[in-house]
């Protein structure tokens, strides 16, 4: 199955203990690039998150946003640091003696000094937290992949239509190209007769000129290769998978063959068809850029 590189996925899990939201979106990119934004307390899970994403995503620039709130009252506690409080008091008493001023420090004021009381988060069960996080990421990733698949199917259908149109253009070129050689021979003989009038025409010389001309304008090899590339693209699209890079390479080869056909064309009709071919190939290549 063909998958697009653009997509969006979201999961939201809310319980009495926590709230977890995972959002991910992606755009085209030559390789797989992951940008993960998550709370500081979850930073140590980043490596695991990247490994998990690789199970679902091969290519694309993926932005992942994770928010996590813990509702449990025991999640944080206040710690009293008596050593720091004692240091403060010792210095206050020394100030009282040095400057002969009254010590009016109360418990409330002392508690306001830095680090006398600190807030510490309780230790968390990493395995339990990872199981919560993994479930949320997988849910969002599955939704994300499904969105890519739907768009990929639309891309596939559009590409198949364009490839069928390219084959029709090739059919026309292959049908018209041989007639150009006979037209050239007829025009050449008419011109020679006009110039030589009653003098006999050297058929061998005419034949040699026609062969040289035919070699210059012959596009048989190019049309055969281009047809082969089109059929290969159709087969790859039907087979599916992560085929974006391979299709992009084939599209480059198709464009090269179309350029050669255009350069050899010695007919306005064939030139126009070759230009149409190049236009369609460029459209195909733009669409392929969005395939994973």
């Amino acid at each position: 199955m063909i998958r697009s590189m653009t997509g969006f996925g979201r999961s939201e899990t809310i319980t009495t203990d926590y709230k977890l939201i995972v959002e991910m979106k992606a755009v085209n990119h030559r390789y797989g690039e992951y940008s993960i934004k998550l709370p500081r307390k979850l930073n140590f899970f980043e490596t695991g998150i990247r490994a998990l994403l690789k199970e679902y995503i091969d290519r694309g620039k993926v932005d992942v946003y994770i928010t996590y709130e813990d509702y449990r009252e025991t999640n944080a506690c206040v710690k009293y640091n008596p050593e720091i409080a004692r240091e403060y008091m010792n210095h206050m008493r020394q100030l009282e003696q040095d400057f002969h001023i009254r010590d009016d420090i109360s418990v409330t004021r002392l508690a306001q000094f830095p680090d006398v009381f600190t807030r510490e988060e309780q230790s968390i069960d990493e395995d339990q937290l990872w199981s919560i996080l993994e479930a949320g990421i997988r849910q969002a990733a599955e939704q994300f992949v499904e969105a890519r698949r739907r768009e990929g199917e639309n891309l596939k259908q559009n590409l198949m239509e364009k490839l069928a149109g390219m084959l029709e253009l090739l059919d026309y070129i292959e049908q018209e190209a041989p007639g150009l050689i006979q037209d050239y021979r007829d025009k050449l003989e008419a011109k020679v007769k006009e110039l030589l009038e009653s003098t006999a025409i050297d058929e061998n010389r005419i034949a040699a000129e026609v062969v040289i001309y035919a070699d210059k304008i012959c596009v048989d090899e190019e049309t055969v290769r281009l047809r082969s590339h089109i059929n290969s693209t159709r087969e790859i699209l039907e087979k599916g998978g992560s085929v974006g890079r391979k299709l992009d390479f084939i599209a480059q080869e198709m464009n090269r063959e179309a350029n050669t056909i255009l350069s050899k064309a010695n007919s306005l009709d064939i030139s126009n068809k070759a230009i149409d071919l190049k236009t369609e190939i460029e459209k195909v290549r733009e669409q392929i850029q969005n395939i994973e």
Side-chain angles (χ1 to χ4, degrees):
M1 184 174 291
I2 295 298
R3 297 192 301 189
S4 167
M5 274 198 286
T6 58
F8 179 81
R10 186 179 190 275
S11 70
E12 181 174 333
T13 308
I14 302 177
T15 70
T16 55
D17 292 335
Y18 65 86
K19 177 181 179 181
L20 174 69
I21 298 175
V22 180
E23 294 180 331
M24 58 178 64
K25 62 180 181 178
V27 295
N28 300 355
H29 196 271
R30 189 174 181 181
Y31 305 106
E33 182 179 309
Y34 309 102
S35 174
I36 303 172
K37 295 178 176 59
L38 67 168
R40 186 172 57 184
K41 67 182 296 183
L42 303 181
N43 280 343
F44 54 90
F45 288 130
E46 183 171 345
T47 301
I49 293 172
R50 289 183 181 275
L52 189 58
L53 292 173
K54 288 179 181 179
E55 295 181 18
Y56 296 90
I57 305 163
D58 291 327
R59 293 177 67 203
K61 185 180 185 303
V62 186
D63 293 314
V64 182
Y65 304 91
I66 300 174
T67 58
Y68 177 79
E69 298 179 44
D70 198 321
Y71 296 148
R72 291 171 293 186
E73 294 181 357
T74 57
N75 187 50
C77 66
V78 176
K79 181 180 179 181
Y80 166 52
N81 299 305
E83 293 81 5
I84 294 178
R86 189 173 295 109
E87 285 288 325
Y88 279 124
M89 288 304 301
N90 290 337
H91 289 301
M92 293 298 177
R93 293 192 181 100
Q94 187 63 46
L95 284 171
E96 182 182 22
Q97 294 175 11
D98 291 345
F99 298 99
H100 305 290
I101 55 177
R102 184 173 64 85
D103 182 5
D104 60 350
I105 295 298
S106 64
V107 172
T108 302
R109 293 193 62 185
L110 180 61
Q112 296 174 355
F113 289 170
D115 298 326
V116 173
F117 290 104
T118 56
R119 184 178 182 275
E120 292 185 354
E121 291 189 356
Q122 298 277 27
S123 60
I124 58 176
D125 186 334
E126 291 186 12
D127 293 336
Q128 180 184 10
L129 184 55
W130 171 248
S131 65
I132 294 169
L133 188 58
E134 181 182 13
I137 293 173
R138 287 191 182 277
Q139 183 180 347
E142 288 168 3
Q143 186 183 116
F144 173 84
V145 169
E146 181 58 32
R148 279 185 153 194
R149 285 173 179 166
R150 288 196 302 269
E151 187 172 342
E153 282 303 303
N154 293 332
L155 278 173
K156 175 183 173 183
Q157 182 178 353
N158 185 269
L159 284 169
M160 286 296 194
E161 293 172 358
K162 285 182 169 58
L163 292 171
M166 289 166 59
L167 286 174
E168 292 178 3
L169 293 170
L170 269 182
D171 289 340
Y172 180 87
I173 292 172
E174 289 175 336
Q175 180 181 346
E176 295 297 318
L180 296 179
I181 300 174
Q182 185 60 46
D183 289 345
Y184 177 74
R185 182 185 181 95
D186 294 341
K187 291 178 181 177
L188 184 60
E189 287 181 348
K191 188 67 174 176
V192 171
K193 286 180 180 178
E194 179 183 345
L195 293 174
L196 299 179
E197 295 181 353
S198 61
T199 306
I201 299 174
D202 186 348
E203 289 293 335
N204 291 332
R205 182 60 185 274
I206 294 291
E209 289 292 335
V210 171
V211 168
I212 294 172
Y213 177 76
D215 186 60
K216 289 181 179 179
I217 69 168
C218 181
V219 293
D220 290 353
E221 292 184 10
E222 288 77 12
T223 57
V224 168
R225 283 196 294 265
L226 183 50
R227 188 179 294 276
S228 175
H229 292 326
I230 293 172
N231 290 331
S232 295
T233 301
R234 298 172 76 175
E235 291 172 4
I236 292 170
L237 286 171
E238 290 292 351
K239 185 177 180 181
S242 183
V243 296
R245 289 194 185 98
K246 188 173 184 179
L247 290 177
D248 186 47
F249 174 76
I250 294 176
Q252 293 179 46
E253 294 300 309
M254 286 195 291
N255 191 57
R256 186 175 292 112
E257 302 301 339
N259 282 334
T260 305
I261 292 173
L262 182 59
S263 67
K264 287 185 174 183
N266 197 28
S267 160
L268 182 59
D269 288 341
I270 293 181
S271 294
N272 288 336
K273 296 300 181 183
I275 291 172
D276 291 341
L277 261 178
K278 281 177 59 62
T279 302
E280 290 302 305
I281 291 171
E282 188 59 33
K283 291 178 182 178
V284 166
R285 192 174 181 187
E286 287 178 3
Q287 295 285 53
I288 287 173
Q289 298 298 318
N290 198 34
I291 293 178
E292 184 179 19

